[in-house]
Amino acid sequence: HSLTADTCGALGALLPGQTVCTELVLSDCMLSEEGAVLLFQGLCANSVVQVLDLKGNNLRAAGAEALGKLLRQNQSIQSLTLEWNSLGTGEDAFAIFCGGLAANSALRQLDLRNNQISHRGAEELALALRGNTTLQQLDLRWNNIGLLGGRALVSCLPSNRALCRLDLAGNNIPGDVLRAVEQAMDHNQDRRTAFQENTARTHVLSKEVQHLQEEKSRQYLSLMETIDKQREEMAKSSRAAAARVGQLQEALSERLSIVNSLKAKLQMTEAALALSEQKVQDLGERLAASEQAQQGLSQKQEKAHRLEQQEAAERESKLLRDLSAANEKNLMLRNQVDGLERKVKSQQEQLFLTRQELTNTSAELKMRAIQAEERLDMEKRRAKQSLEDLEKLHAKEVDHMTRHLEESERTMQERVQRLEALRLSLEEELSQAKAAVVSERSQAEEELIKARSQARLEEQQNLAHLEEKMRLLAQARDEAQSACLQQKQAVAEAQARAGQLSLQAEGQRRRLEELQQELNNKDQEKVAEVTRVRVELQEQMGRLQADLVAQEVLREKVMALERQLKAISSEHRAALLDRESENASLREKLRLKEAEIMRIREEEAQRASFLQNAVLAYVQGSPLRALSPPK
């Protein structure tokens, strides 16, 4: 629609308070300089619009100055299309526009095709690019930049690291300058990709470091809890030992009082009893120490079992997260494939429209040719002999035009065939990409399922092994408790015998000797049992260390699988980026071909009009027309 200055003023007054629309398309609206200035003043205070399209509005010096002010003040517009304007006609105004571009820090894409930009305008753009650090794509095709402007742009590229795409076709620039621009753009793009990869890697590493710190803090807290529990248990055991010692001391005092009441004959028996009591105390202390050691070992094994269960749960949660991430990536890939299919369909529709337009134009040209032939036949009948030479010339021109039309139709058909071949190749590539994505996704899912099954089997084996160890330890504990009970019974029997020794001194001496021998044998047996228990505990510790090593191997396997998944995802991303770049190049080719088709149509229309005018002028200026009677 053609917009007047008043409508542009109304839009400019509305835009500062507008908070919904993010895209403003005003292409081919025939904006005046005054209306464009009012519209750009309203956009200066807008912070929502991100895409601005001003194609085909014939903006000149005043529009360029207003655009420079807009770029200097607005920090939300990211894409600006200015194709088919005349911004480069005024050098001073275009310099203001370039100054605003240099001060802008939000614009990412700028389209300046067909703007009559000269080499001086290119020099101003080069100065702006040296100061700009955010512009990524700049289109300068079909201008008048020339050799000097191309060199100026090449000289500014080493200081600009943000620009990744610069199109300079149709500017009469030599090939070496274009190659230098391509090399600079490739270098900037490689640098940008490397920067993105580095940021992604740093993000992943920071996450891993945080995870490790959290695990270390958890381990530290668990260790502190175990230490506190051990301290509490040691305090309880010390209290129990003190109580037992007090009880033993009380029993000894009672026995000493009883022994002191006896006569001097029983002094030797009292000494023997004291020795037996000391041995009993040593045995009790040893039994308490063995019980404490067994309790500590059982607690350690229970803690190790809990830690292993927690680690198994964490592994399962990690694997589930990895599966969810893989599924999300697959969904993203499917969405991208669907988008590519939609793009292919849209391209097919555009090709069908172009074919229809070609058929319509060919039909119109044929109709015009038929009408021209009919008119020429009428004039031939009227002019008779004097127009025979003219008829020959006209026939030659008609043949030439028909040949030209046939050649143009052939070229257009060949182009359509090429486009169809490109479409078929794109469809084949899309089908191949789909098949590759499906196969890679199935392989990744199978690997994840295998890893989960292996981890579960190994965890079940570890749990069964730990349960067996706990059962063995419980049996050993029961055996030790039974031995302690037997020893307590023996101590009780010894105390009873000591009470009977007060009546029978001589029998007590013999029995004391027998008890000493029995106690020595029991000491040896206890020492053997303690050594055997120590050996079993060492073996169990070795098995636990082997289990820990196996768990570390499993962790390494899981890390390797995660790295493989990351590598596969990076390859998918690279393939998708390549496909997107190919689609973009195909779109540009289609745009160029559409422009060529429009140019050919205009040339054919001009030639037809020239031929019609020439025929009419020749017929009107012929001498027979002057001699013929009026109708």
Side-chain angles (χ1 to χ4, degrees):
H1 299 284
S2 59
L3 302 180
T4 61
D6 294 333
T7 56
C8 291
L11 283 173
L14 176 67
L15 286 171
Q18 195 276 126
T19 59
V20 177
C21 181
T22 60
E23 185 175 358
L24 183 60
V25 180
L26 298 173
S27 59
D28 299 322
C29 288
M30 295 169 31
L31 297 176
S32 63
E33 297 286 335
E34 184 181 359
V37 170
L38 294 172
L39 185 66
F40 297 155
Q41 287 177 358
L43 280 172
C44 289
N46 186 283
S47 62
V48 178
V49 176
Q50 297 179 358
V51 178
L52 180 59
D53 190 353
L54 297 170
K55 176 183 175 182
N57 284 299
N58 198 19
L59 298 176
R60 294 182 177 275
E65 292 179 359
L67 281 170
K69 294 179 182 178
L70 173 64
L71 291 175
R72 192 179 292 276
Q73 296 179 10
N74 188 291
Q75 297 299 324
S76 65
I77 297 174
Q78 298 181 2
S79 177
L80 180 58
T81 302
L82 297 171
E83 184 182 359
W84 291 105
N85 287 294
S86 300
L87 298 177
T89 55
E91 295 180 355
D92 296 334
F94 192 72
I96 294 171
F97 172 77
C98 293
L101 178 62
N104 188 276
S105 62
L107 194 64
R108 300 289 184 273
Q109 296 178 359
L110 179 60
D111 190 351
L112 291 173
R113 288 178 289 177
N114 294 300
N115 270 279
Q116 300 181 12
I117 299 172
S118 62
H119 64 280
R120 293 182 180 177
E123 291 175 355
E124 296 292 336
L125 276 174
L127 293 174
L129 290 175
R130 287 179 180 174
N132 192 310
T133 59
T134 57
L135 188 64
Q136 298 177 2
Q137 295 181 7
L138 178 59
D139 197 344
L140 293 173
R141 288 178 290 180
W142 310 108
N143 285 298
N144 299 319
I145 292 175
L147 176 61
L148 297 175
R151 288 179 178 176
L153 290 171
V154 169
S155 64
C156 78
L157 291 177
S159 60
N160 189 332
R161 297 182 179 180
L163 192 64
C164 297
R165 184 174 177 182
L166 179 59
D167 295 326
L168 295 172
N171 282 289
N172 296 323
I173 298 174
D176 54 350
V177 177
L178 292 174
R179 285 192 293 273
V181 171
E182 289 179 357
Q183 291 177 358
M185 294 298 100
D186 292 336
H187 183 65
N188 287 341
Q189 194 168 5
D190 293 337
R191 185 180 295 166
R192 185 175 181 81
T193 54
F195 178 73
Q196 291 176 355
E197 289 177 357
N198 289 326
T199 52
R201 289 176 183 174
T202 52
H203 185 63
V204 171
L205 289 172
S206 64
K207 286 184 177 178
E208 289 180 356
V209 168
Q210 289 178 359
H211 184 64
L212 290 172
Q213 288 178 355
E214 290 177 355
E215 287 184 352
K216 287 181 180 179
S217 62
R218 290 174 184 173
Q219 291 177 359
Y220 179 74
L221 291 171
S222 64
L223 287 171
M224 291 298 292
E225 289 177 356
T226 53
I227 289 165
D228 293 333
K229 289 179 180 178
Q230 287 177 359
R231 286 178 180 175
E232 290 177 357
E233 289 175 357
M234 290 291 290
K236 289 179 181 178
S237 63
S238 63
R239 289 173 185 173
R244 288 178 184 176
V245 168
Q247 291 175 1
L248 290 171
Q249 285 179 358
E250 290 176 357
L252 285 172
S253 63
E254 290 176 357
R255 289 174 185 176
L256 287 171
S257 63
I258 292 166
V259 171
N260 289 320
S261 65
L262 295 172
K263 294 180 181 180
K265 291 180 181 181
L266 297 174
Q267 289 179 358
M268 296 296 292
T269 57
E270 287 175 357
L273 286 169
L275 291 171
S276 64
E277 287 173 357
Q278 288 178 359
K279 289 180 180 179
V280 167
Q281 288 179 359
D282 294 330
L283 289 171
E285 290 175 356
R286 288 178 184 176
L287 286 170
S290 64
E291 288 177 355
Q292 290 176 2
Q294 287 177 357
Q295 289 178 359
L297 289 171
S298 63
Q299 290 174 358
K300 287 181 181 178
Q301 288 175 355
E302 288 177 355
K303 289 173 183 176
H305 181 65
R306 290 175 184 173
L307 290 172
E308 287 177 354
Q309 287 180 350
Q310 289 178 0
E311 289 177 355
E314 290 176 354
R315 287 176 186 172
E316 286 182 355
S317 63
K318 285 181 182 178
L319 290 171
L320 290 171
R321 289 174 186 171
D322 294 333
L323 280 171
S324 63
N327 290 323
E328 289 176 357
K329 289 178 182 177
N330 288 323
L331 289 172
M332 290 293 290
L333 291 171
R334 287 179 183 174
N335 292 325
Q336 290 178 359
V337 169
D338 294 332
L340 291 171
E341 288 178 353
R342 290 173 185 172
K343 290 178 182 178
V344 169
K345 288 180 181 178
S346 64
Q347 290 177 0
Q348 289 176 355
E349 291 176 356
Q350 289 179 0
L351 286 171
F352 182 72
L353 293 172
T354 53
R355 285 182 183 175
Q356 288 182 351
E357 289 177 358
L358 285 171
T359 53
N360 293 325
T361 53
S362 63
E364 288 177 359
L365 289 171
K366 287 180 182 179
M367 291 294 291
R368 289 178 182 177
I370 291 166
Q371 291 175 1
E373 287 176 357
E374 290 177 355
R375 288 177 183 176
L376 287 169
D377 290 331
M378 293 295 292
E379 294 296 328
K380 283 177 184 178
R381 290 175 184 176
R382 291 176 183 176
K384 294 181 181 179
Q385 294 179 356
S386 62
L387 295 175
E388 288 177 355
D389 298 330
L390 294 173
E391 286 175 355
K392 293 178 181 179
L393 293 171
H394 180 68
K396 290 180 181 180
E397 289 177 355
V398 168
D399 292 331
H400 182 70
M401 287 297 295
T402 54
R403 289 174 185 174
H404 183 70
L405 288 171
E406 289 175 355
E407 289 177 356
S408 64
E409 287 177 354
R410 289 174 185 173
T411 55
M412 293 301 290
Q413 288 177 358
E414 289 176 356
R415 288 175 183 174
V416 169
Q417 290 176 358
R418 290 175 185 173
L419 290 171
E420 287 178 353
L422 287 171
R423 181 177 61 77
L424 292 172
S425 64
L426 282 171
E427 290 177 352
E428 290 176 355
E429 289 177 356
L430 282 171
S431 63
Q432 292 176 0
K434 285 180 181 178
V437 167
V438 170
S439 62
E440 288 175 355
R441 185 186 60 166
S442 63
Q443 289 177 1
E445 288 177 353
E446 288 176 357
E447 289 177 356
L448 285 171
I449 290 165
K450 289 178 181 179
R452 287 182 68 187
S453 63
Q454 289 178 0
R456 286 178 180 174
L457 288 172
E458 289 174 356
E459 286 173 357
Q460 288 176 0
Q461 290 175 0
N462 290 325
L463 288 170
H465 188 62
L466 289 170
E467 286 176 356
E468 289 177 358
K469 288 179 181 178
M470 291 295 291
R471 185 173 56 79
L472 293 171
L473 289 170
Q475 289 178 359
R477 185 185 64 188
D478 294 333
E479 290 175 357
Q481 287 179 357
S482 64
C484 289
L485 290 170
Q486 290 175 2
Q487 289 174 1
K488 287 179 180 179
Q489 290 176 0
V491 169
E493 290 175 359
Q495 289 176 356
R497 288 174 184 175
Q500 291 176 1
L501 284 171
S502 63
L503 299 173
Q504 296 176 356
E506 293 177 354
Q508 285 177 356
R509 288 177 185 177
R510 294 174 184 177
R511 290 176 182 176
L512 284 170
E513 289 175 356
E514 291 174 357
L515 287 169
Q516 287 177 358
Q517 290 178 359
E518 288 177 358
L519 287 170
N520 291 323
N521 293 324
K522 287 179 180 179
D523 289 331
Q524 291 176 359
E525 289 176 357
K526 286 179 181 178
V527 170
E529 287 179 355
V530 169
T531 54
R532 184 173 60 80
V533 170
R534 286 180 181 175
V535 170
E536 288 178 355
L537 289 172
Q538 288 178 358
E539 289 177 355
Q540 290 174 0
M541 290 295 290
R543 291 174 184 173
L544 289 171
Q545 288 178 357
D547 292 333
L548 289 172
V549 172
Q551 289 176 0
E552 290 177 354
V553 171
L554 286 172
R555 286 179 184 174
E556 291 177 355
K557 288 181 181 178
V558 171
M559 291 296 289
L561 288 171
E562 289 177 352
R563 290 172 184 171
Q564 289 179 0
L565 285 171
K566 288 179 181 178
I568 289 167
S569 63
S570 64
E571 289 176 357
H572 284 308
R573 288 176 184 172
L576 288 171
L577 289 172
D578 293 334
R579 295 291 163 77
E580 288 177 356
S581 63
E582 289 176 0
N583 287 325
S585 64
L586 288 171
R587 286 177 184 173
E588 290 179 356
K589 288 179 181 178
L590 285 170
R591 288 177 184 175
L592 292 172
K593 288 178 181 178
E594 288 176 356
E596 288 178 0
I597 289 166
M598 292 294 292
R599 183 173 58 78
I600 289 166
R601 285 180 184 173
E602 290 175 357
E603 289 176 359
E604 288 176 354
Q606 288 178 0
R607 288 176 183 174
S609 63
F610 288 157
L611 179 61
Q612 187 177 3
N613 293 326
V615 170
L616 291 173
Y618 185 82
V619 170
Q620 290 176 1
S622 61
L624 293 174
R625 184 176 178 83
L627 295 173
S628 62
K631 294 182 180 179

